[in-house]
Amino acid sequence: MSEALTILHRDEHLVAVHKPAGLLVHRTALARGEREFLLQRLRDQLGQRVYPVHRLDRPTSGAMVFALSTTAAARLAEAFTERRVAKRYLAVVRGIGPEHDWLDYPLREEDGSRPKAEMPAMEAMTEVRRLDSVELPVQVDRYPQSRYSLMQACPVTGRRHQIRRHLSQRGYPIIGDAKHGKGNHNRFFKERLGCSRLLLAAVGLAFDHPFEAYRLTLSCALDVPMSSLFERFGWGGHLPVNGAGLSAPNPEPTA
């Protein structure tokens, strides 16, 4: 029997949970041979139907919101589509990442029906900030030391694999990223540091509640492998905790 999912917030309209790394959200063409999906696990745990309103890649862990009615689903999906949801991710990358930067490289769809080169380049923007870094006295690449950074990433747009592709294009691939990362660093973390997962987690979401007059801010803790790594690197002060906060909604923009 599967372990119960961690509930970050629940009311009559929506529920927010911690999606474990490696778990698909729902059945797709990628789900060959898979028997477990977040959607079904949450439905069974709550004993009611749930509706997905956004997505997280399979290897990414973190905060995910589901609606509890079709009306709530429509309103929440619209908020995500219209970029009215603030998102915060933490990622461990190779190298000393930029202190603060806006990554605005357009991205082509990777998994479309046509070859990637034929797909249109779409606007994509991610704000990144280096929170911490570490230098290890281990030669993984061509240098005698290996340096890694803890990056905060806040995507403005929501392209597929956006954070992973943006950081890789900027020269700071996320550890554990088999498609856009570097194999020798991924192997080092897996074999020497006990981290075989993609080191990317959705740790924060904030949006105006679709029915109530408040803004909901969600915080999601890291799983054991990432938490242990943070402690080992001296990054314990950056560990997020599970929680939900209510505040006044964002004011309507003035004309």
Side-chain angles (χ1 to χ4, degrees):
M1 187 173 175
S2 300
E3 191 175 327
L5 296 164
T6 299
I7 306 292
L8 305 173
H9 172 81
R10 183 182 180 184
D11 58 42
E12 62 178 307
H13 302 292
L14 61 90
V15 61
V17 301
H18 179 172
K19 183 190 94 65
L23 185 64
L24 282 167
V25 174
H26 48 69
R27 239 174 252 281
T28 68
L30 303 173
R32 301 183 193 91
E34 293 293 325
R35 296 182 179 178
E36 272 208 327
F37 304 91
L38 180 63
L39 189 71
Q40 283 77 15
R41 278 181 59 178
L42 182 58
R43 178 198 63 199
D44 294 346
Q45 183 171 324
L46 299 182
Q48 68 180 107
R49 192 166 181 182
V50 297
Y51 303 84
V53 295
H54 64 121
R55 66 172 184 260
L56 277 183
D57 294 336
R58 177 179 184 166
T60 306
S61 66
M64 190 153 193
V65 175
F66 290 83
L68 298 179
S69 69
T70 54
T71 305
R75 293 188 184 187
L76 285 166
E78 182 180 55
F80 276 94
T81 301
E82 295 182 353
R83 305 176 187 174
R84 290 187 276 115
V85 179
K87 309 170 193 175
R88 178 174 179 259
Y89 290 75
L90 293 180
V92 181
V93 307
R94 186 201 70 186
I96 303 298
E99 185 175 344
H100 179 250
D101 204 354
W102 288 92
L103 310 183
D104 60 354
Y105 312 114
L107 297 174
R108 300 179 190 274
E109 178 60 65
E110 292 183 312
D111 301 311
S113 56
R114 293 181 289 163
K116 180 179 173 182
E118 296 179 10
M119 300 297 284
M122 298 178 292
E123 174 199 17
M125 182 173 290
T126 310
E127 182 183 17
V128 297
R129 192 179 301 275
R130 187 180 73 245
L131 302 181
D132 221 325
S133 61
V134 68
E135 182 173 282
L136 305 180
V138 179
Q139 182 166 359
V140 176
D141 221 321
R142 58 180 181 265
Y143 303 106
Q145 292 86 26
S146 300
R147 302 193 295 179
Y148 303 98
S149 297
L150 171 59
M151 300 297 296
Q152 173 182 282
C154 298
V156 177
T157 51
R159 308 303 177 199
R160 185 172 176 80
H161 298 166
Q162 177 175 313
I163 297 172
R164 295 157 66 175
R165 294 166 71 185
H166 267 175
L167 282 167
S168 179
Q169 285 182 324
R170 185 69 166 76
Y172 305 99
I174 299 176
I175 301 300
D177 189 344
K179 189 169 186 177
H180 308 100
K182 292 205 69 176
N184 52 354
H185 291 274
N186 294 348
R187 283 190 298 274
F188 170 68
F189 272 72
K190 179 179 180 179
E191 296 169 4
R192 301 281 297 275
L193 299 175
C195 267
S196 57
R197 56 156 295 185
L198 174 73
L199 296 181
L200 175 66
V203 298
L205 288 172
F207 52 92
D208 292 344
H209 194 279
F211 293 95
E212 308 297 339
Y214 59 75
R215 187 164 179 81
L216 180 60
T217 300
L218 303 168
S219 176
C220 187
L222 302 178
D223 60 14
V224 172
M226 281 192 78
S227 296
S228 300
L229 185 78
F230 276 39
E231 296 286 5
R232 184 168 187 167
F233 283 177
W235 297 346
H238 299 289
L239 283 170
V241 297
N242 290 328
L246 312 179
S247 59
N250 278 348
E252 292 292 328
T254 55

